[in-house]
Amino acid sequence: MAEAVRRGKPASEASGRLILVLGDQLTSTLSALAASDPARDRVLMVEAYQEGTYVPHHRKKIAFILSAMRHFRDALTAAGWSVDYITLDDPDNTGTLVGEVQRARLRHGVADVVATEPGEWRLKTQLEAAQVRLLEDDRFLCDHAGFDAWAAGRKQLRMEYFYRDMRRDTGLLMEDGAPTGGKWNFDHDNRKPPRGGLDVPAPASFPPDAITAEVLDLVDRYFPENFGDLRPFWYAVTAADAERAVDHFITAGLPSYGDYQDAMLTDTPFMFHAVIALYLNAGLLDPLAVCRQVEAAYRRGAVAINAAEGFIRQVIGWREYVRGIYWRFMPDYLTRNALNHDRPLPAFYWTGDTDMACLADCIGQTKREAYAHHIQRLMVTGNFAMLAGVEPHQVHEWYLAVYADAYEWVEAPNTLGMSQFADGGVLASKPYAASGNYINKMSNYCRGCRYDVKQRVGPDACPFNFLYWAFLDRHRDRFAGNPRMAQIYRVWDKFADDHQATIRRQATHFLDGLALPAAAE
């Protein structure tokens, strides 16, 4: 018997309307639920095969979403909702969200279907074409109209100024209209390199229960070729456990988070980071509530201002800002390629099989954990892809696939705008390009690397070094006039002509020797 009949009212009993709840909308106060009546309306939740395969999503990511969906289904049922839940292995499952919406309409004799707006343009257009009524996602602190009003008339949409308005709106870390501590931003204090003897806590982990164990077996069967390791699986899959993860972070990680949020250590994937973005983005946590917990920790003296402000900026500043950028510039944002990069994504992005120790470590942990922190994403995997001239849409699809917290509204601006500069400066005022020196300063990766980070050219030279200078040379017409990059070009101009030529030749030879793209492993 189909799951839809087992879980809900009899199929013959018509409901008032259907409320479609997506896998990243696992919030009891979701706008579509708040506008509905459990005595009259019926929830529809779908495990759609297409959603796991349009990019080769990490198997841990798929398992997290499916298990969290099933737990949320049970919470809705306990709260009095009738839930049609279509499992992945339901023999009648069409494999698509739209297909299951149409089946549910026929099954229940219901025409009216309502949902909260999806976080992807792709899904929004599909659901609108299927005549699903979409309500705004009010789980965010800045709605579309609010962001557009902020952006109107501005020549540059810089996050820092948006963030200040968000601080004023929320009152977080504010004193009589002024920022607590006398500054809006303490990022200058958040760049300490790693040192020996750091006591780095593990994030909170949760052993799989029976529901999760069943999901893991299902993912094994349905997504055997998708990227990444499925086990061990330790994510929270309920709101209660996600809140426990926040409590653990505030106690164990937050005190050192500010100082070392940019630091990287071999085989230390999480450092002092919260590892809760996947819970925020799936709807298991309220972002404002989390920020208020962090502010409270500062107010009681448990953490320093740079830790509290740095965390809050990531949530009410950066997270809200990139969502605004995404919806303001879609649908063409995904096709932007301001630097005209056209190389294929190297095969080692799917395997981690490279002699560059930093990339091997970051990609290896991504395979294992579906996680890398923001500096690993921006300054290692993202930096290399940009310096190598990889076609940005391929980079975008890789990031969307491999990280458990990646949904297009948050991932695309971070990748195409901040990481690859493909949007031509909408999001960032200059490209986040760096040589091996930055990675050496902020990590211990270079100590065990086959390449020498001190060498700019030659057989042992760190590829980040010659690729960095070749990138700047290649894009001189675009960036030489940027005030933030003028000094860098003055350094380049001091290199002897034959040294510049050697850098260009070595970069070309290295890039031409990269393996061709391979299917995700």
Side-chain angles (χ1 to χ4, degrees):
M1 181 181 292
E3 187 78 5
V5 177
R6 286 204 306 270
R7 286 277 170 189
K9 299 174 184 177
S12 59
E13 182 182 336
S15 298
R17 62 181 177 179
L18 289 170
I19 307 104
L20 176 64
V21 174
L22 303 177
D24 60 347
Q25 298 179 344
L26 309 181
T27 309
S28 61
T29 58
L30 189 73
S31 59
L33 293 171
S36 303
D37 180 0
R40 177 176 58 86
D41 302 321
R42 180 187 298 266
V43 172
L44 173 66
M45 299 181 71
V46 179
E47 297 177 359
Y49 181 77
Q50 183 186 62
E51 296 305 304
T53 55
Y54 69 94
V55 294
H57 289 291
H58 199 296
R59 301 205 303 155
K60 266 194 176 74
K61 178 182 183 179
I62 297 172
F64 162 65
I65 294 171
L66 296 187
S67 181
M69 286 176 65
R70 293 184 179 201
H71 284 86
F72 189 67
R73 167 202 65 193
D74 292 349
L76 288 177
T77 302
W81 289 94
S82 294
V83 182
D84 270 21
Y85 192 95
I86 311 302
T87 60
L88 195 66
D89 55 354
D90 184 327
D92 296 322
N93 190 334
T94 62
T96 69
L97 286 169
V98 169
E100 289 310 302
V101 166
Q102 306 296 35
R103 277 212 312 139
R105 278 179 166 138
L106 293 173
R107 185 165 62 248
H108 298 295
V110 173
D112 190 15
V113 181
V114 64
T116 295
E117 179 184 76
E120 288 194 7
W121 186 274
R122 172 186 65 91
L123 274 184
K124 181 181 179 182
T125 55
Q126 288 178 9
L127 294 179
E128 286 176 336
Q131 297 183 315
V132 175
R133 292 194 296 114
L134 300 180
L135 305 180
E136 184 147 18
D137 192 342
D138 58 9
R139 297 175 299 170
F140 292 87
L141 305 179
C142 183
D143 60 19
H144 299 322
F147 188 85
D148 287 342
W150 173 83
R154 294 177 184 264
K155 293 182 179 179
Q156 295 181 322
L157 305 182
R158 294 293 172 248
M159 191 280 290
E160 179 64 25
Y161 301 108
F162 173 81
Y163 166 57
R164 293 179 186 185
D165 284 347
M166 294 299 290
R167 287 272 294 278
R168 295 184 185 100
D169 289 347
T170 62
L172 287 164
L173 294 178
M174 297 293 292
E175 310 286 346
D176 298 324
T180 300
K183 294 194 300 183
W184 291 103
N185 187 316
F186 289 83
D187 196 42
H188 184 270
D189 301 325
N190 293 348
R191 299 171 185 169
K192 289 185 179 179
R195 55 177 173 79
L198 282 177
D199 184 14
V200 179
S205 61
F206 305 89
D209 61 9
I211 291 175
T212 301
E214 183 178 6
V215 164
L216 294 176
D217 290 342
L218 193 69
V219 172
D220 264 335
R221 297 201 311 272
Y222 278 80
F223 304 99
E225 303 301 323
N226 275 48
F227 176 78
D229 299 342
L230 179 59
R231 297 177 178 86
F233 185 92
W234 52 269
Y235 296 153
V237 291
T238 65
D241 280 347
E243 289 166 2
R244 293 184 182 98
V246 173
D247 292 340
H248 173 79
F249 163 67
I250 290 174
T251 300
L254 185 59
S256 296
Y257 165 78
D259 290 348
Y260 298 107
Q261 67 173 276
D262 287 5
M264 301 173 284
L265 287 171
T266 303
D267 298 324
T268 311
F270 309 110
M271 291 300 293
F272 298 98
H273 290 261
V275 198
I276 61 168
L278 73 167
Y279 309 141
L280 284 167
N281 295 348
L284 297 179
L285 293 173
D286 179 330
L288 183 57
V290 172
C291 287
R292 284 176 173 155
Q293 287 179 260
V294 168
E295 180 188 38
Y298 165 73
R299 299 289 185 194
R300 65 176 180 266
V303 302
I305 183 66
N306 67 308
E309 186 277 321
F311 179 89
I312 288 170
R313 177 165 19 97
Q314 294 299 321
V315 178
I316 70 165
W318 192 255
R319 183 174 184 266
E320 297 281 336
Y321 168 77
V322 296
R323 178 177 181 262
I325 292 288
Y326 176 80
W327 286 110
R328 184 171 177 84
F329 291 98
M330 284 296 285
D332 75 306
Y333 195 83
L334 296 187
T335 65
R336 294 193 179 192
N337 187 0
L339 302 182
N340 295 315
H341 285 170
D342 58 4
R343 288 186 179 272
L345 186 74
F348 65 70
Y349 271 73
W350 297 110
T351 66
D353 185 14
T354 172
D355 288 339
M356 289 173 279
C358 56
L359 281 162
D361 189 81
C362 292
I363 294 169
Q365 76 173 49
T366 296
K367 284 186 68 180
R368 293 188 300 273
E369 306 292 356
Y371 174 83
H373 72 65
H374 68 284
I375 294 299
Q376 293 172 316
R377 300 187 201 194
L378 177 64
M379 301 308 299
V380 180
T381 53
N383 183 28
F384 182 87
M386 182 176 64
L387 297 182
V390 176
E391 195 276 314
H393 193 78
Q394 294 184 41
V395 185
H396 151 65
E397 290 195 330
W398 185 78
Y399 277 98
L400 184 60
V402 302
Y403 292 117
D405 56 21
Y407 299 90
E408 196 172 84
W409 64 266
V410 65
E411 174 277 324
N414 272 295
T415 302
L416 299 174
M418 189 176 191
S419 171
Q420 301 304 297
F421 205 78
D423 67 4
V426 169
L427 191 145
S429 60
K430 74 175 188 66
Y432 280 85
S435 68
N437 182 59
Y438 175 87
I439 296 170
N440 188 38
K441 177 184 175 183
M442 297 307 301
S443 78
N444 65 353
Y445 292 146
C446 300
R447 296 176 193 173
C449 188
R450 166 255 185 275
Y451 296 103
D452 185 351
V453 71
K454 303 296 185 182
Q455 294 190 31
R456 190 180 296 135
V457 294
D460 296 325
C462 171
F464 277 90
N465 291 340
F466 53 78
L467 291 178
Y468 170 72
W469 290 109
F471 169 84
L472 293 175
D473 178 57
R474 189 165 69 246
H475 294 295
R476 181 168 193 143
D477 288 348
R478 174 178 285 273
F479 296 126
N482 187 316
R484 299 182 64 192
M485 302 181 72
Q487 177 59 33
I488 300 170
Y489 280 102
R490 283 194 286 270
V491 173
W492 168 256
D493 289 340
K494 291 178 182 179
F495 294 167
D497 290 348
D498 61 343
H499 188 58
Q500 291 182 353
T502 299
I503 289 172
R504 294 186 189 101
R505 284 195 303 270
Q506 185 157 355
T508 299
H509 178 74
F510 177 85
L511 293 174
D512 289 346
L514 288 177
L516 294 174
E521 295 190 359

